[in-house]
Amino acid sequence: MKAGFVALVGRPNVGKSTLLNHLVGQKISITSRRPQTTRHRIHGIKTTEAGQAVYVDTPGIHASEKRAMNRYLNKTAGSALGDVDLVVWLIDRAGWLPEDELVLKRIKAAGVPVILAINKIDRLEDKDALLPFLQQAAASHNFAAMIPFSALKGTNLETLDRTIMDLLPEGDPIFPEDQVTDRSMRFMAAEIVREKLLRALGQEVPHAITVEIEQFRQDGALTRISALIWVERPGQKAIVIGKQGEVLKKVGERARHDLERMLEGKVFLQLWVKVKEGWSDDERALRSLGYAD
Ligand code: GDP
Ligand code: MG
């Protein structure tokens, strides 16, 4: 049997969380087009006859460390590289950016085998266009494998899956076979609400949003969940609520739908919006909202 930890790294928005969900075959990590969708380190566990891969989803590595939130995200992404057996480095088929150099530097320092995984090839019309890029990549590091794929469409996922298992060390399963994540239902609930918010809102708000679960209680067959949505300014609160509450209503309906699927039962979900000024640039506020090491 094979067993080990696999870090999914790369700059924001390359598709790390989408890949994790497809590899594990279940929604573990939230995804959206917005940067900073993944803020925490999350394990997604996949057990097959061949062995167990424990995927570590990470926030993207951010070029700027000016804000406390970005420093937190980089620390989380960087520390994930510390004790893994394998790294899957995702890049976008669109090419190599300065942020990618930054990731490569950290990967080299970690000194573990690296699979270079080129995502979003469904958007690529001419597959030959990848060749010069692959050559450039091969010259910059001795990769264990280079695999073009699409996390969204599933193209080449089997190859990626098999290569990952091949490269893992021999060992006994680290987690029980039926476990798919290391995170609590409470944590997952907060993340699902945040995902629906990110997807429903425009550019201006997402950075300023966090979700705190105030109540998570079993009431017979019903799960009662009450969530606080924190924003930084009164104007953002108005945007999150929407005209006659329509944005918040839509977010609540979508979140409840996902929660009921995850919990396999009825959910009563209440959402509240509150303002806490400057929380994303305040180390103490970050800690009190669960962004701690
Ligand atoms: P992360 O920040 O690296 O975790 O990226 P996400 O997994 O959140 O994905 C960012 C965006 O890219 C989402 O809108 C995904 O739907 C999209 N995406 C991910 N993989 C693919 C892919 O293979 N093809 C296309 N076209 N879009 C993708
Ligand atoms: Mg992510």
Side-chain angles (χ1 to χ4, degrees), residues 34 81 83 204 255:
R34 311 267 169 237
L81 284 175
D83 4 83
E204 57 287 327

Side-chain angles (χ1 to χ4, degrees), residues 13-18 32-33 119-120 122-123 150-152:
N13 223 29
V14 290
K16 297 178 292 296
S17 299
T18 307
S32 88
R33 278 177 287 135
N119 192 20
K120 307 196 187 182
D122 54 290
R123 293 244 195 94
S150 167
L152 204 60

Side-chain angles (χ1 to χ4, degrees), residues 60-76 78 102 106 281 283:
I61 291 172
H62 294 256
S64 157
E65 293 214 324
K66 260 197 227 123
R67 297 178 72 79
M69 177 56 98
N70 282 7
R71 284 195 294 277
Y72 169 78
L73 295 176
N74 279 353
K75 227 163 109 187
T76 307
L102 196 74
R106 297 196 179 211
D281 198 28
E283 308 268 0

Side-chain angles (χ1 to χ4, degrees), residues 71-278:
R71 284 195 294 277
Y72 169 78
L73 295 176
N74 279 353
K75 227 163 109 187
T76 307
S79 68
L81 284 175
D83 4 83
V84 295
D85 303 287
L86 178 66
V87 170
V88 176
W89 178 26
L90 275 83
I91 56 173
D92 195 305
R93 57 81 183 88
W96 200 281
L97 295 179
E99 280 103 321
D100 289 315
E101 290 292 334
L102 196 74
V103 182
L104 182 61
K105 231 165 74 187
R106 297 196 179 211
I107 289 173
K108 279 184 187 288
V112 290
V114 182
I115 297 174
L116 180 67
I118 303 113
N119 192 20
K120 307 196 187 182
I121 56 159
D122 54 290
R123 293 244 195 94
L124 203 66
E125 270 163 32
D126 175 16
K127 308 285 177 221
D128 291 341
L130 273 180
L131 287 175
F133 176 69
L134 289 174
Q135 276 169 346
Q136 181 201 351
S140 63
H141 187 75
N142 185 15
F143 293 106
M146 297 198 287
I147 302 172
F149 78 108
S150 167
L152 204 60
K153 307 281 183 219
T155 320
N156 241 357
L157 263 190
E158 270 171 45
T159 312
L160 184 57
D161 206 19
R162 197 163 9 87
T163 312
I164 289 168
M165 207 49 98
D166 283 348
L167 287 167
L168 283 181
E170 307 268 322
D172 293 325
I174 301 152
F175 289 94
E177 272 171 40
D178 55 354
Q179 193 173 336
V180 292
T181 182
D182 63 328
R183 292 293 188 161
S184 67
M185 289 296 174
R186 211 183 161 97
F187 172 85
M188 304 282 274
E191 288 286 279
I192 285 170
V193 173
R194 199 161 61 79
E195 176 183 80
K196 303 312 170 200
L197 284 163
L198 289 173
R199 292 183 177 186
L201 297 170
Q203 295 283 12
E204 57 287 327
V205 184
H207 279 285
I209 277 193
T210 197
V211 177
E212 185 183 349
I213 299 295
E214 221 187 10
Q215 187 198 60
F216 190 109
R217 188 163 58 83
Q218 206 60 42
D219 188 356
L222 189 73
T223 310
R224 290 182 183 276
I225 301 172
S226 160
L228 287 180
I229 299 163
W230 290 102
V231 293
E232 293 195 307
R233 284 191 299 278
Q236 293 167 339
K237 177 171 172 177
I239 294 170
V240 167
I241 292 171
K243 269 198 212 97
Q244 284 155 357
E246 62 182 16
V247 175
L248 200 60
K249 183 159 168 254
K250 196 169 65 186
V251 166
E253 279 166 5
R254 290 175 182 166
R256 186 168 53 81
H257 175 263
D258 277 22
L259 286 165
E260 291 190 333
R261 213 165 47 178
M262 178 178 86
L263 297 165
E264 294 173 343
K266 286 266 168 241
V267 167
F268 178 71
L269 176 65
Q270 274 183 307
L271 300 176
W272 310 93
V273 188
K274 292 203 170 176
V275 182
K276 185 181 228 147
E277 257 168 62

Side-chain angles (χ1 to χ4, degrees), residues 16-17 29-30 38 57-58:
K16 297 178 292 296
S17 299
S29 198
I30 63 168
T38 309
D57 191 14
T58 61

